[in-house]
mmCIF file of all heavy atoms in Angstrom:
data_model
loop_
_atom_site.group_PDB
_atom_site.id
_atom_site.type_symbol
_atom_site.label_atom_id
_atom_site.label_comp_id
_atom_site.label_asym_id
_atom_site.label_seq_id
_atom_site.Cartn_x
_atom_site.Cartn_y
_atom_site.Cartn_z
ATOM 1 N N PHE J 96 154.567 -29.760 221.797
ATOM 2 C CA PHE J 96 154.067 -28.477 222.305
ATOM 3 C C PHE J 96 154.532 -27.283 221.483
ATOM 4 O O PHE J 96 153.725 -26.413 221.134
ATOM 5 C CB PHE J 96 154.460 -28.300 223.771
ATOM 6 C CG PHE J 96 153.893 -29.366 224.661
ATOM 7 C CD1 PHE J 96 154.720 -30.200 225.388
ATOM 8 C CD2 PHE J 96 152.526 -29.556 224.758
ATOM 9 C CE1 PHE J 96 154.206 -31.186 226.197
ATOM 10 C CE2 PHE J 96 151.991 -30.551 225.569
ATOM 11 C CZ PHE J 96 152.838 -31.366 226.283
ATOM 12 N N LEU J 97 155.816 -27.220 221.155
ATOM 13 C CA LEU J 97 156.310 -26.077 220.388
ATOM 14 C C LEU J 97 155.723 -26.024 218.977
ATOM 15 O O LEU J 97 155.225 -24.964 218.565
ATOM 16 C CB LEU J 97 157.838 -26.077 220.349
ATOM 17 C CG LEU J 97 158.471 -24.851 219.709
ATOM 18 C CD1 LEU J 97 158.127 -23.608 220.507
ATOM 19 C CD2 LEU J 97 159.966 -25.016 219.619
ATOM 20 N N PRO J 98 155.737 -27.124 218.205
ATOM 21 C CA PRO J 98 155.101 -27.044 216.879
ATOM 22 C C PRO J 98 153.601 -26.732 216.944
ATOM 23 O O PRO J 98 153.086 -25.977 216.124
ATOM 24 C CB PRO J 98 155.323 -28.424 216.275
ATOM 25 C CG PRO J 98 156.495 -28.967 216.992
ATOM 26 C CD PRO J 98 156.419 -28.407 218.378
ATOM 27 N N GLY J 99 152.911 -27.288 217.930
ATOM 28 C CA GLY J 99 151.486 -26.985 218.079
ATOM 29 C C GLY J 99 151.250 -25.523 218.385
ATOM 30 O O GLY J 99 150.336 -24.899 217.831
ATOM 31 N N MET J 100 152.083 -24.959 219.250
ATOM 32 C CA MET J 100 151.943 -23.545 219.586
ATOM 33 C C MET J 100 152.256 -22.669 218.378
ATOM 34 O O MET J 100 151.561 -21.685 218.113
ATOM 35 C CB MET J 100 152.853 -23.185 220.757
ATOM 36 C CG MET J 100 152.541 -21.827 221.340
ATOM 37 S SD MET J 100 153.565 -21.415 222.738
ATOM 38 C CE MET J 100 155.077 -21.004 221.916
ATOM 39 N N VAL J 101 153.273 -23.026 217.619
ATOM 40 C CA VAL J 101 153.618 -22.253 216.423
ATOM 41 C C VAL J 101 152.489 -22.317 215.391
ATOM 42 O O VAL J 101 152.112 -21.293 214.812
ATOM 43 C CB VAL J 101 154.953 -22.759 215.828
ATOM 44 C CG1 VAL J 101 155.191 -22.178 214.453
ATOM 45 C CG2 VAL J 101 156.109 -22.420 216.757
ATOM 46 N N LEU J 102 151.942 -23.497 215.165
ATOM 47 C CA LEU J 102 150.865 -23.636 214.180
ATOM 48 C C LEU J 102 149.608 -22.872 214.579
ATOM 49 O O LEU J 102 148.981 -22.219 213.736
ATOM 50 C CB LEU J 102 150.534 -25.107 213.950
ATOM 51 C CG LEU J 102 151.586 -25.889 213.169
ATOM 52 C CD1 LEU J 102 151.212 -27.369 213.131
ATOM 53 C CD2 LEU J 102 151.739 -25.344 211.776
ATOM 54 N N THR J 103 149.238 -22.937 215.844
ATOM 55 C CA THR J 103 148.046 -22.188 216.262
ATOM 56 C C THR J 103 148.303 -20.688 216.198
ATOM 57 O O THR J 103 147.413 -19.919 215.848
ATOM 58 C CB THR J 103 147.589 -22.586 217.672
ATOM 59 O OG1 THR J 103 148.659 -22.411 218.598
ATOM 60 C CG2 THR J 103 147.093 -24.019 217.700
ATOM 61 N N GLY J 104 149.516 -20.276 216.530
ATOM 62 C CA GLY J 104 149.855 -18.852 216.425
ATOM 63 C C GLY J 104 149.813 -18.363 214.991
ATOM 64 O O GLY J 104 149.285 -17.272 214.703
ATOM 65 N N LEU J 105 150.384 -19.149 214.080
ATOM 66 C CA LEU J 105 150.330 -18.772 212.665
ATOM 67 C C LEU J 105 148.906 -18.770 212.143
ATOM 68 O O LEU J 105 148.532 -17.909 211.334
ATOM 69 C CB LEU J 105 151.187 -19.733 211.837
ATOM 70 C CG LEU J 105 152.694 -19.535 211.944
ATOM 71 C CD1 LEU J 105 153.420 -20.650 211.218
ATOM 72 C CD2 LEU J 105 153.098 -18.185 211.393
ATOM 73 N N TRP J 106 148.089 -19.715 212.584
ATOM 74 C CA TRP J 106 146.700 -19.754 212.136
ATOM 75 C C TRP J 106 145.949 -18.516 212.619
ATOM 76 O O TRP J 106 145.160 -17.932 211.859
ATOM 77 C CB TRP J 106 146.016 -21.022 212.630
ATOM 78 C CG TRP J 106 144.610 -21.129 212.129
ATOM 79 C CD1 TRP J 106 143.473 -20.797 212.784
ATOM 80 C CD2 TRP J 106 144.212 -21.568 210.826
ATOM 81 N NE1 TRP J 106 142.391 -21.022 211.987
ATOM 82 C CE2 TRP J 106 142.805 -21.485 210.780
ATOM 83 C CE3 TRP J 106 144.896 -22.020 209.723
ATOM 84 C CZ2 TRP J 106 142.089 -21.844 209.650
ATOM 85 C CZ3 TRP J 106 144.173 -22.383 208.604
ATOM 86 C CH2 TRP J 106 142.785 -22.288 208.578
ATOM 87 N N MET J 107 146.199 -18.103 213.867
ATOM 88 C CA MET J 107 145.525 -16.894 214.358
ATOM 89 C C MET J 107 146.029 -15.649 213.635
ATOM 90 O O MET J 107 145.281 -14.698 213.418
ATOM 91 C CB MET J 107 145.736 -16.730 215.865
ATOM 92 C CG MET J 107 144.965 -17.711 216.696
ATOM 93 S SD MET J 107 145.040 -17.357 218.455
ATOM 94 C CE MET J 107 146.757 -17.605 218.815
ATOM 95 N N TRP J 108 147.310 -15.647 213.245
ATOM 96 C CA TRP J 108 147.897 -14.482 212.619
ATOM 97 C C TRP J 108 147.549 -14.391 211.133
ATOM 98 O O TRP J 108 147.121 -13.352 210.643
ATOM 99 C CB TRP J 108 149.414 -14.520 212.823
ATOM 100 C CG TRP J 108 150.170 -13.383 212.225
ATOM 101 C CD1 TRP J 108 149.886 -12.042 212.323
ATOM 102 C CD2 TRP J 108 151.347 -13.478 211.434
ATOM 103 N NE1 TRP J 108 150.811 -11.310 211.646
ATOM 104 C CE2 TRP J 108 151.734 -12.165 211.091
ATOM 105 C CE3 TRP J 108 152.120 -14.545 210.999
ATOM 106 C CZ2 TRP J 108 152.844 -11.899 210.335
ATOM 107 C CZ3 TRP J 108 153.244 -14.269 210.249
ATOM 108 C CH2 TRP J 108 153.596 -12.962 209.919
ATOM 109 N N LYS J 109 147.744 -15.472 210.394
ATOM 110 C CA LYS J 109 147.558 -15.457 208.947
ATOM 111 C C LYS J 109 146.544 -16.486 208.458
ATOM 112 O O LYS J 109 146.578 -16.882 207.296
ATOM 113 C CB LYS J 109 148.897 -15.723 208.242
ATOM 114 C CG LYS J 109 149.873 -14.592 208.350
ATOM 115 C CD LYS J 109 149.397 -13.418 207.515
ATOM 116 C CE LYS J 109 150.423 -12.312 207.537
ATOM 117 N NZ LYS J 109 150.007 -11.166 206.731
ATOM 118 N N GLY J 110 145.644 -16.902 209.307
ATOM 119 C CA GLY J 110 144.646 -17.888 208.909
ATOM 120 C C GLY J 110 143.702 -17.376 207.844
ATOM 121 O O GLY J 110 143.245 -18.129 206.994
ATOM 122 N N HIS J 111 143.427 -16.074 207.872
ATOM 123 C CA HIS J 111 142.525 -15.509 206.868
ATOM 124 C C HIS J 111 143.109 -15.632 205.461
ATOM 125 O O HIS J 111 142.388 -15.853 204.500
ATOM 126 C CB HIS J 111 142.215 -14.049 207.203
ATOM 127 C CG HIS J 111 143.403 -13.146 207.149
ATOM 128 N ND1 HIS J 111 144.358 -13.114 208.138
ATOM 129 C CD2 HIS J 111 143.818 -12.260 206.208
ATOM 130 C CE1 HIS J 111 145.291 -12.241 207.818
ATOM 131 N NE2 HIS J 111 144.993 -11.708 206.650
ATOM 132 N N VAL J 112 144.429 -15.530 205.335
ATOM 133 C CA VAL J 112 145.065 -15.675 204.027
ATOM 134 C C VAL J 112 144.956 -17.123 203.551
ATOM 135 O O VAL J 112 144.630 -17.394 202.390
ATOM 136 C CB VAL J 112 146.549 -15.238 204.096
ATOM 137 C CG1 VAL J 112 147.253 -15.506 202.774
ATOM 138 C CG2 VAL J 112 146.659 -13.783 204.488
ATOM 139 N N LEU J 113 145.199 -18.076 204.457
ATOM 140 C CA LEU J 113 145.109 -19.488 204.101
ATOM 141 C C LEU J 113 143.682 -19.863 203.715
ATOM 142 O O LEU J 113 143.464 -20.580 202.742
ATOM 143 C CB LEU J 113 145.602 -20.353 205.262
ATOM 144 C CG LEU J 113 145.643 -21.843 205.010
ATOM 145 C CD1 LEU J 113 146.612 -22.166 203.867
ATOM 146 C CD2 LEU J 113 146.058 -22.578 206.261
ATOM 147 N N ARG J 114 142.705 -19.377 204.450
ATOM 148 C CA ARG J 114 141.309 -19.654 204.112
ATOM 149 C C ARG J 114 140.953 -19.089 202.746
ATOM 150 O O ARG J 114 140.244 -19.720 201.962
ATOM 151 C CB ARG J 114 140.377 -19.081 205.179
ATOM 152 C CG ARG J 114 140.296 -19.922 206.427
ATOM 153 C CD ARG J 114 139.200 -19.453 207.356
ATOM 154 N NE ARG J 114 139.390 -18.088 207.823
ATOM 155 C CZ ARG J 114 140.115 -17.753 208.892
ATOM 156 N NH1 ARG J 114 140.704 -18.679 209.606
ATOM 157 N NH2 ARG J 114 140.231 -16.495 209.254
ATOM 158 N N ARG J 115 141.463 -17.898 202.422
ATOM 159 C CA ARG J 115 141.197 -17.304 201.126
ATOM 160 C C ARG J 115 141.843 -18.126 200.009
ATOM 161 O O ARG J 115 141.245 -18.338 198.958
ATOM 162 C CB ARG J 115 141.720 -15.871 201.088
ATOM 163 C CG ARG J 115 141.254 -15.124 199.879
ATOM 164 C CD ARG J 115 141.621 -13.657 199.848
ATOM 165 N NE ARG J 115 142.007 -13.121 201.137
ATOM 166 C CZ ARG J 115 143.003 -12.242 201.304
ATOM 167 N NH1 ARG J 115 143.714 -11.834 200.276
ATOM 168 N NH2 ARG J 115 143.298 -11.784 202.506
ATOM 169 N N LEU J 116 143.067 -18.598 200.229
ATOM 170 C CA LEU J 116 143.727 -19.431 199.227
ATOM 171 C C LEU J 116 142.977 -20.739 198.998
ATOM 172 O O LEU J 116 142.810 -21.178 197.864
ATOM 173 C CB LEU J 116 145.167 -19.730 199.648
ATOM 174 C CG LEU J 116 146.164 -18.597 199.499
ATOM 175 C CD1 LEU J 116 147.497 -18.997 200.118
ATOM 176 C CD2 LEU J 116 146.341 -18.237 198.050
ATOM 177 N N ILE J 117 142.529 -21.351 200.098
ATOM 178 C CA ILE J 117 141.797 -22.614 199.985
ATOM 179 C C ILE J 117 140.474 -22.398 199.256
ATOM 180 O O ILE J 117 140.111 -23.176 198.381
ATOM 181 C CB ILE J 117 141.575 -23.234 201.383
ATOM 182 C CG1 ILE J 117 142.907 -23.704 201.953
ATOM 183 C CG2 ILE J 117 140.587 -24.383 201.310
ATOM 184 C CD1 ILE J 117 142.830 -24.117 203.403
ATOM 185 N N SER J 118 139.758 -21.335 199.583
ATOM 186 C CA SER J 118 138.467 -21.102 198.928
ATOM 187 C C SER J 118 138.658 -20.734 197.462
ATOM 188 O O SER J 118 137.856 -21.117 196.617
ATOM 189 C CB SER J 118 137.686 -20.011 199.657
ATOM 190 O OG SER J 118 138.327 -18.767 199.515
ATOM 191 N N THR J 119 139.722 -20.030 197.126
ATOM 192 C CA THR J 119 139.996 -19.694 195.735
ATOM 193 C C THR J 119 140.336 -20.951 194.943
ATOM 194 O O THR J 119 139.841 -21.155 193.842
ATOM 195 C CB THR J 119 141.156 -18.688 195.628
ATOM 196 O OG1 THR J 119 140.833 -17.537 196.385
ATOM 197 C CG2 THR J 119 141.412 -18.294 194.189
ATOM 198 N N ARG J 120 141.168 -21.796 195.500
ATOM 199 C CA ARG J 120 141.525 -23.030 194.819
ATOM 200 C C ARG J 120 140.317 -23.930 194.639
ATOM 201 O O ARG J 120 140.132 -24.526 193.593
ATOM 202 C CB ARG J 120 142.616 -23.780 195.589
ATOM 203 C CG ARG J 120 143.963 -23.175 195.406
ATOM 204 C CD ARG J 120 145.004 -24.043 196.017
ATOM 205 N NE ARG J 120 146.304 -23.426 195.900
ATOM 206 C CZ ARG J 120 147.345 -23.741 196.622
ATOM 207 N NH1 ARG J 120 147.254 -24.683 197.529
ATOM 208 N NH2 ARG J 120 148.484 -23.130 196.450
ATOM 209 N N SER J 121 139.480 -24.047 195.658
ATOM 210 C CA SER J 121 138.321 -24.923 195.524
ATOM 211 C C SER J 121 137.339 -24.365 194.502
ATOM 212 O O SER J 121 136.712 -25.121 193.769
ATOM 213 C CB SER J 121 137.636 -25.131 196.873
ATOM 214 O OG SER J 121 137.108 -23.916 197.346
ATOM 215 N N ALA J 122 137.224 -23.042 194.400
ATOM 216 C CA ALA J 122 136.358 -22.450 193.391
ATOM 217 C C ALA J 122 136.906 -22.714 191.993
ATOM 218 O O ALA J 122 136.156 -23.021 191.064
ATOM 219 C CB ALA J 122 136.213 -20.958 193.631
ATOM 220 N N GLN J 123 138.242 -22.619 191.848
ATOM 221 C CA GLN J 123 138.851 -22.910 190.549
ATOM 222 C C GLN J 123 138.680 -24.384 190.191
ATOM 223 O O GLN J 123 138.384 -24.716 189.045
ATOM 224 C CB GLN J 123 140.335 -22.553 190.566
ATOM 225 C CG GLN J 123 140.604 -21.073 190.591
ATOM 226 C CD GLN J 123 142.082 -20.776 190.769
ATOM 227 O OE1 GLN J 123 142.882 -21.662 191.027
ATOM 228 N NE2 GLN J 123 142.436 -19.506 190.629
ATOM 229 N N GLN J 124 138.849 -25.267 191.155
ATOM 230 C CA GLN J 124 138.690 -26.689 190.896
ATOM 231 C C GLN J 124 137.253 -27.019 190.534
ATOM 232 O O GLN J 124 136.996 -27.847 189.649
ATOM 233 C CB GLN J 124 139.148 -27.504 192.099
ATOM 234 C CG GLN J 124 140.644 -27.483 192.292
ATOM 235 C CD GLN J 124 141.067 -28.146 193.594
ATOM 236 O OE1 GLN J 124 140.231 -28.482 194.430
ATOM 237 N NE2 GLN J 124 142.365 -28.329 193.769
ATOM 238 N N ASP J 125 136.306 -26.379 191.206
ATOM 239 C CA ASP J 125 134.899 -26.608 190.871
ATOM 240 C C ASP J 125 134.607 -26.157 189.439
ATOM 241 O O ASP J 125 133.874 -26.824 188.702
ATOM 242 C CB ASP J 125 133.988 -25.860 191.845
ATOM 243 C CG ASP J 125 134.014 -26.463 193.239
ATOM 244 O OD1 ASP J 125 134.488 -27.613 193.376
ATOM 245 O OD2 ASP J 125 133.579 -25.778 194.191
ATOM 246 N N ALA J 126 135.191 -25.034 189.029
ATOM 247 C CA ALA J 126 134.987 -24.537 187.669
ATOM 248 C C ALA J 126 135.617 -25.489 186.657
ATOM 249 O O ALA J 126 135.038 -25.745 185.592
ATOM 250 C CB ALA J 126 135.573 -23.141 187.526
ATOM 251 N N GLU J 127 136.795 -26.020 186.979
ATOM 252 C CA GLU J 127 137.448 -26.962 186.075
ATOM 253 C C GLU J 127 136.628 -28.245 185.942
ATOM 254 O O GLU J 127 136.472 -28.778 184.849
ATOM 255 C CB GLU J 127 138.856 -27.288 186.564
ATOM 256 C CG GLU J 127 139.828 -26.133 186.440
ATOM 257 C CD GLU J 127 141.166 -26.429 187.092
ATOM 258 O OE1 GLU J 127 141.348 -27.547 187.628
ATOM 259 O OE2 GLU J 127 142.026 -25.544 187.072
ATOM 260 N N VAL J 128 136.102 -28.733 187.047
ATOM 261 C CA VAL J 128 135.291 -29.954 187.017
ATOM 262 C C VAL J 128 134.017 -29.704 186.216
ATOM 263 O O VAL J 128 133.599 -30.537 185.413
ATOM 264 C CB VAL J 128 134.980 -30.436 188.458
ATOM 265 C CG1 VAL J 128 133.922 -31.515 188.443
ATOM 266 C CG2 VAL J 128 136.240 -30.907 189.123
ATOM 267 N N ALA J 129 133.399 -28.547 186.396
ATOM 268 C CA ALA J 129 132.183 -28.235 185.655
ATOM 269 C C ALA J 129 132.485 -28.117 184.162
ATOM 270 O O ALA J 129 131.705 -28.580 183.322
ATOM 271 C CB ALA J 129 131.564 -26.938 186.174
ATOM 272 N N GLY J 130 133.617 -27.509 183.816
ATOM 273 C CA GLY J 130 134.010 -27.405 182.415
ATOM 274 C C GLY J 130 134.283 -28.747 181.805
ATOM 275 O O GLY J 130 133.948 -29.022 180.647
ATOM 276 N N TYR J 131 134.899 -29.633 182.565
ATOM 277 C CA TYR J 131 135.192 -30.993 182.077
ATOM 278 C C TYR J 131 133.894 -31.763 181.872
ATOM 279 O O TYR J 131 133.748 -32.506 180.905
ATOM 280 C CB TYR J 131 136.088 -31.714 183.083
ATOM 281 C CG TYR J 131 136.410 -33.127 182.673
ATOM 282 C CD1 TYR J 131 137.309 -33.386 181.651
ATOM 283 C CD2 TYR J 131 135.790 -34.220 183.302
ATOM 284 C CE1 TYR J 131 137.592 -34.679 181.251
ATOM 285 C CE2 TYR J 131 136.072 -35.510 182.922
ATOM 286 C CZ TYR J 131 136.973 -35.741 181.897
ATOM 287 O OH TYR J 131 137.269 -37.016 181.527
#
């Protein structure tokens, strides 16, 4: 219960930053794969 509550709280608080990091990394990986 405590770890689940902490994770959902962090996701609501800073989830937008994590989503931006994930989308940036996936865009970079797609560019690397296309270059390869």
Side-chain angles (χ1 to χ4, degrees):
F96 299 119
L97 186 63
M100 192 178 76
V101 169
L102 288 174
T103 56
L105 285 173
W106 183 262
M107 288 188 295
W108 180 48
K109 289 290 184 179
H111 64 284
V112 175
L113 183 62
R114 282 190 299 273
R115 191 174 343 141
L116 285 173
I117 291 171
S118 67
T119 303
R120 284 188 183 161
S121 65
Q123 289 173 351
Q124 289 173 351
D125 290 344
E127 290 173 1
V128 168
Y131 179 74

